[in-house]
Amino acid sequence: MNGKAIDARGVTKRFKTGRTYIEVLKGVDFDALHGDLTMVMGPSGSGKSTLVATLSGLLKPDAGSVNAMGEDLWSMRPGKIDRFRLDHCGFIFQGFNLFSALTAVQQVATILKYKGYTPAEAKARAAVALEEVGLGARLNQRPSELSGGEKQRVAIARALAKDPQLIFADEPTSALDGENGQVVIKLLQRAAKQHGAAVICVTHDPRLEAYADRVIHIEDGRILDDRRTAPAPAPEAARQPELVGA
Ligand code: ADP
Ligand code: MG
């Protein structure tokens, strides 16, 4: 593997609004490397969330291709795309997306049960993932008993517990204060560095730029510039699956 976890070419997406179509992605070429924290920045409405959705198997583009982990994502059957997401993708969103009735450890364990872990294994692994994000003392708390920063850390533990090689974070810090935002971005950075994941983080928070290996600016459905801020990771250093979740 050449280190590319995602290689998308000519991705185009239109939405129908009334009688007209608006083109939200205009032939975007995008790639992301294992071991990199790649930040996608751009104004509201520029197509960032739509891009992430097309790269992660959530939204089919009208034209173009997405190669993800060596496979042509959009030529897969829908069931296989769902499986691909379960096996390879972790998601973190601005709004945390936690189940209000579940404790922290249950939020994480639920996903792991889908992956085929027994309930006991899932619970043990979930606890380890929560300890990794500093929530070892909050395992049995429900979202209403957690702060915003803690909730986002639960969401990160949930995304990381299954050891995904692709991590998509869409505005993960925008509901948090600066200090909690830093905790979150450092955890994402660690997922890239220690677990070799390709982390794609959408943000318009300029304070996060310092943590990126690469910053891509998007405006009006086009990539304006693509700037590497750290040396490219060596392909072999970018994959240490045994460390994950452990
Ligand atoms: P960003 O994440 O950069 O703020 P989005 O990708 O969410 O931007 O949206 C880009 C543009 O596409 C916006 O103008 C938005 O209104 C439009 N859009 C997004 N999703 C849909 C949809 N499902 N139907 C119609 N228009 C949409
Ligand atoms: Mg968005």
Side-chain angles (χ1 to χ4, degrees), residues 15-17 22 24-25 42-51 59 170-171 202 218:
F15 289 113
K16 198 170 182 186
T17 55
I22 52 160
V24 170
L25 297 176
S44 177
S46 56
K48 302 181 299 296
S49 295
T50 305
L51 176 65
L59 187 69
D170 195 346
E171 312 266 10
V202 166
I218 180 168

Side-chain angles (χ1 to χ4, degrees), residues 108 124-135 153 157-158 160-161 245:
V108 182
R125 208 176 153 94
V128 171
L130 286 162
E131 276 155 26
E132 264 205 344
V133 300
L135 291 179
R153 280 189 278 157
R158 180 178 61 183
L160 299 185

